[in-house]
Amino acid sequence: MADSFYITTPIYYVNDLPHIGHIYTTVMADVIARYQRLCGRSVRFLTGTDEHGQKIERAAREQGVEPIELADRVVARYHRWWADLEISHDDFIRTTEARHQRAVAEIVRRINASGDIYLDNYTGWYCAGCEGFFPESQLVDGRCPDQGHPVELLSEPSYFFRLSAYQQPLLDWYRANPGCIAPESRFNEVVRFVEGGLRDLSISRTSLHWGVPYPSDPGHVVYVWLDALTNYISALGFGSDDDELFRGFWPADLHLVGKDILRFHCVYWPAFLMSAGLPLPKTIFGHGWWMRDEAKMSKSLGNVVRPDHIVQRFGPDPLRYFLAREMSFGQDASFSDEAFAERYNADLANHLGNTASRTLAMVARYLDGRVPAAHGGAAVAEAATQAVGAYRRAMDALEPHRALESTWQVLTAVNGYIQEQQPWSLAKQGNAARGPLEEVLGTSLEALRLTSVLISPFMPGVARNLRRQLGLGEGATNLVEAGGWGLIPSGTRVGDPEPLFPRLDVAAYLKELEMNDEGAPASVPDGPGAEPTSEQLTIDEFARTQLVVGVVLEAEQVPKSRKLVRMMVDLAEESPRQIVAGIAGRYAADDLVGRRVVIVANLKPARLMGVESQGMVLAASVDGEPFLLSPDGDVPPGTGVK
Ligand code: ME8
């Protein structure tokens, strides 16, 4: 299709809830999709979930549910996140859908027809407890990495793909299309890897059942990566009678992925496509990682960031802005609430919010709320025109952080201009200075109109709000038209002013976060009833909560945490319980030893800063400050509380 643009995110595993990494990739894909639409292209934007394989099967088993139930719950969370963040995807593919399974069967058939598949034996370290193979590199002390079960070297029949035959064709493709992998450092990384030689790849398993049945040999299921990668074409109708989208949108313009899965996308996927006789994607971009305290976020480290609190408090756009601006696209960055709060105040509240509110307030006050016809502030017009050019070049070069820098240059130019022209002084001069006053405010309004266009891929809600306040219609649909200068219609009335970004008291905000929660883990929800509600409890429901008196035997501050204390608490059980609580701000660890406390004893264990907590200590919270509850007397440990 002429001028089409097909963009995809990875499809995310359903053994865990979405976190900032998944959110980042999807927000950035959304920013690019919205930009391409703004440029007038016909865009198809795909995201979805990867639901098969050992990981998911095992996670479901641990929770005592069927894999599809786990998948359904997590998918519901993804849908909610994407709606909350205004993600504008056109399709959401699940690998458990029939349309996907048909496409996987079709690609396997095509690869087989090319003579690239043979039956052999796969040998690996098999864990009977987990019913799965692990590569030697993943074993921990010679045992399975997940449960520490013993493993044995086993072989099973497996179909293999002749990946080794694609070393030269892949190298030829990379060299003929240097833009196919970006940024350049990742391109070099992949080329070096392939130059080092490729081994054939096992593409089926008999020890696993949760997957797409292997066509022609249903005792096998298709290897999860061949299954997953095919999503990019199954969502376009590949392998079905209706392949209009496939004809219109394939090959993809951009597969956006994290650098962790670059090899699968830059080596396996093009080799599968070559073998199946299908066109190859135009660009695979491997972005960097969000880190926390210099470590990659991971479930096992317990340092995963889930930015629910940011979206609940600020709405989606400040988070979208922060993610796009803070990380140079392609490199790593560290996430912190401090960095978010500072950028929120500096870039959004002070810069964008202030420029809009002071301009609109002056238009209301001095010009009776009407947009003047003048917008000839030459320096601002010049800065704006240059910024639009730089913005487009940056977006086309996949440097969205730079596009935002250019947008903010427009705001800097307007602020300097307002400061220099002093419209408040001009207003005092009455009719004599009416012309210059209209010029200053008209120029500022026009710059804000342009800003509303440039920020719209990043902050669609704020862009709409700003346009409404400027008295403009819903949205700019085409950057070529809306990116010009002098387009704000004169004579229209500006809308009611409303602060775009109320200023934040950073210290108070950070304190509040610290008191509420310090990276509390979110586990996969136990079903619809797991959502907190304000409904009343019956006495039976309340009785399910086991409240027990305990005595603190040991206590120490959790390393690197400002507020967490790890305690060993005697509940008159076989051994003391380890309880982690956010009370260090008020209680010194040593002062806790010997204290009687009340523990919720049947709470599902959770990890806080990587330390397991086997229950929760009760405390009253006064403005976020914890006051421990204790029984009124020397009640023995283990005594129930009703
Ligand atoms: O790998 N920083 O799924 P997944 C930035 N199902 N991005 C991050 C991140 C971080 N710390 N952590 C995760 C899979 N991501 C496969 C993909 S595709 C055919 C199959 C993002 O749930 C990043 O995009 O583990 C990464 O590639 C993806 O989430 C991995 O998600």
Side-chain angles (χ1 to χ4, degrees):
M1 198 189 296
D3 234 8
S4 68
F5 191 88
Y6 181 35
I7 177 166
T8 65
T9 71
I11 48 170
Y12 305 113
Y13 288 129
V14 291
N15 60 334
D16 197 9
L17 292 176
H19 63 61
I20 192 107
H22 309 118
I23 288 169
Y24 176 69
T25 314
T26 312
V27 163
M28 295 317 296
D30 188 57
V31 166
I32 296 167
R34 285 175 184 271
Y35 167 73
Q36 293 294 343
R37 289 190 199 109
L38 199 58
C39 291
R41 302 216 167 85
S42 163
V43 172
R44 186 112 195 133
F45 170 17
L46 174 72
T47 188
T49 40
D50 186 354
E51 304 187 7
H52 288 136
Q54 194 172 309
K55 256 187 215 265
I56 317 297
E57 201 177 51
R58 215 175 307 140
R61 194 179 322 130
E62 276 165 18
Q63 296 189 31
V65 295
E66 291 300 317
I68 193 68
E69 288 175 55
L70 174 66
D72 287 347
R73 280 182 208 162
V74 175
V75 165
R77 281 299 183 99
Y78 269 103
H79 280 303
R80 206 167 338 138
W81 261 112
W82 297 162
D84 288 349
L85 289 169
E86 286 209 46
I87 302 298
S88 62
H89 52 292
D90 300 287
D91 196 357
F92 187 106
I93 182 96
R94 299 182 57 176
T95 55
T96 45
E97 289 176 74
R99 58 175 176 155
H100 175 71
Q101 312 218 359
R102 250 195 324 263
V104 174
E106 178 60 19
I107 198 167
V108 172
R109 259 193 297 274
R110 288 198 186 201
I111 295 173
N112 194 37
S114 302
D116 282 331
I117 294 181
Y118 59 93
L119 186 63
D120 202 338
N121 275 312
Y122 173 82
T123 304
W125 292 97
Y126 185 76
C127 169
C130 299
E131 291 182 37
F133 280 96
F134 293 96
E136 183 143 358
S137 57
Q138 278 183 18
L139 299 183
V140 177
D141 298 333
R143 287 172 165 259
C144 99
D146 284 0
Q147 307 282 341
H149 294 138
V151 289
E152 51 185 329
L153 202 57
L154 271 194
S155 282
E156 66 171 23
S158 169
Y159 289 97
F160 279 76
F161 170 65
R162 282 184 215 285
L163 183 61
S164 55
Y166 285 89
Q167 181 185 14
Q168 199 49 48
L170 283 169
L171 290 171
D172 293 343
W173 177 58
Y174 303 145
R175 290 190 180 123
N177 303 274
C180 67
I181 302 169
E184 204 184 333
S185 55
R186 308 256 191 272
F187 175 88
N188 296 333
E189 212 174 277
V190 171
V191 170
R192 269 197 306 276
F193 172 77
V194 175
E195 279 171 349
L198 295 174
R199 298 202 348 223
D200 289 350
L201 182 72
S202 157
I203 53 158
S204 77
R205 291 281 185 278
T206 53
S207 53
L208 180 76
H209 309 291
W210 180 236
V212 179
Y214 192 88
S216 77
D217 197 346
H220 293 238
V221 298
V222 176
Y223 168 57
V224 69
W225 272 99
L226 172 52
D227 168 348
L229 288 160
T230 304
N231 90 87
Y232 300 129
I233 53 176
S234 55
L236 296 178
F238 172 77
S240 78
D241 297 336
D242 180 6
D243 63 352
E244 197 186 322
L245 286 172
F246 182 71
R247 282 185 280 116
F249 286 100
W250 190 256
D253 292 84
L254 182 59
H255 287 317
L256 184 59
V257 300
K259 64 181 181 180
D260 47 327
I261 53 175
L262 202 65
R263 204 174 283 176
F264 298 101
H265 283 79
C266 300
V267 181
Y268 295 1
W269 181 225
F272 294 149
L273 288 167
M274 282 181 194
S275 174
L278 296 170
L280 307 187
K282 292 183 201 154
T283 300
I284 301 152
F285 188 98
H287 67 66
W289 281 336
W290 282 98
M291 321 276 275
R292 182 114 213 211
D293 304 328
E294 264 112 81
K296 182 174 187 247
M297 282 186 274
S298 83
K299 215 176 159 184
S300 52
L301 282 176
N303 63 350
V304 168
V305 176
R306 292 194 166 83
D308 309 55
H309 58 290
I310 297 183
V311 176
Q312 271 160 20
R313 173 151 182 165
F314 301 93
D317 285 358
L319 178 68
R320 291 175 59 112
Y321 172 80
F322 176 77
L323 293 176
R325 180 68 188 77
E326 182 78 1
M327 187 183 261
S328 296
F329 205 43
Q331 289 169 24
D332 293 345
S334 227
F335 182 90
S336 76
D337 284 300
E338 287 88 334
F340 170 81
E342 272 153 26
R343 258 201 196 285
Y344 173 89
N345 264 355
D347 299 6
L348 298 179
N350 287 357
H351 224 141
L352 174 55
N354 246 349
T355 311
S357 62
R358 77 201 290 217
T359 302
L360 286 160
M362 286 190 283
V363 171
R365 196 151 154 215
Y366 306 141
L367 303 181
D368 194 26
R370 293 218 177 262
V371 177
H375 28 65
V380 176
E382 172 64 24
T385 309
Q386 283 193 7
V388 173
Y391 173 99
R392 295 197 63 158
R393 282 191 299 279
M395 289 304 287
D396 291 338
L398 295 177
E399 296 182 326
H401 55 288
R402 284 196 199 283
L404 285 173
E405 274 170 29
S406 301
T407 308
W408 259 246
Q409 278 160 11
V410 180
L411 296 169
T412 304
V414 179
N415 274 326
Y417 175 66
I418 293 177
Q419 221 43 47
E420 179 191 294
Q421 300 291 322
Q422 309 229 332
W424 46 91
S425 306
L426 295 172
K428 280 194 200 132
Q429 296 167 34
N431 267 348
R434 178 82 183 179
L437 177 65
E438 290 191 350
E439 186 98 305
V440 183
L441 294 182
T443 300
S444 305
L445 286 172
E446 172 59 4
L448 286 169
R449 181 202 62 79
L450 191 60
T451 303
S452 77
V453 177
L454 301 183
I455 62 171
S456 64
F458 297 88
M459 295 191 282
V462 170
R464 281 193 302 270
N465 191 350
L466 179 55
R467 292 180 71 80
R468 184 192 57 71
Q469 295 193 42
L470 292 168
L472 294 166
E474 244 300 287
T477 46
N478 193 313
L479 186 55
V480 176
E481 290 157 20
W485 182 258
L487 299 174
I488 191 161
S490 61
T492 49
R493 186 168 275 286
V494 296
D496 291 333
E498 184 194 324
L500 291 173
F501 306 102
R503 225 190 121 70
L504 186 66
D505 178 339
V506 176
Y509 172 66
L510 294 177
K511 179 131 202 280
E512 195 183 307
L513 290 182
E514 197 184 311
M515 297 320 295
N516 287 343
D517 173 41
E518 197 168 359
S523 55
V524 175
D526 290 335
E531 297 298 322
T533 68
S534 57
E535 284 169 24
Q536 292 175 328
L537 298 180
T538 64
I539 187 76
D540 291 344
E541 282 166 340
F542 175 68
R544 290 187 55 217
T545 311
Q546 282 175 19
L547 299 173
V548 178
V549 173
V551 176
V552 180
L553 302 177
E554 296 167 24
E556 61 160 16
Q557 184 132 5
V558 172
K560 287 199 182 155
S561 167
R562 271 167 298 173
K563 65 161 203 170
L564 292 183
V565 176
R566 185 186 73 84
M567 294 174 280
M568 296 307 291
V569 182
D570 178 12
L571 299 183
E573 295 173 327
E574 254 174 43
S575 51
R577 295 260 193 133
Q578 175 167 286
I579 310 273
V580 181
I583 55 175
R586 199 178 136 73
Y587 297 94
D590 285 349
D591 296 343
L592 289 165
V593 176
R595 267 190 89 105
R596 281 180 161 63
V597 287
V598 181
I599 301 289
V600 183
N602 59 342
L603 200 65
K604 198 167 157 187
R607 294 184 85 80
L608 297 163
M609 297 273 290
V611 185
E612 187 176 72
S613 184
Q614 302 157 335
M616 186 174 89
V617 66
L618 292 188
S621 172
V622 180
D623 293 334
E625 196 175 353
F627 289 79
L628 284 171
L629 296 193
S630 301
D632 181 18
D634 283 349
V635 177
T639 309
V641 176
K642 290 186 207 165

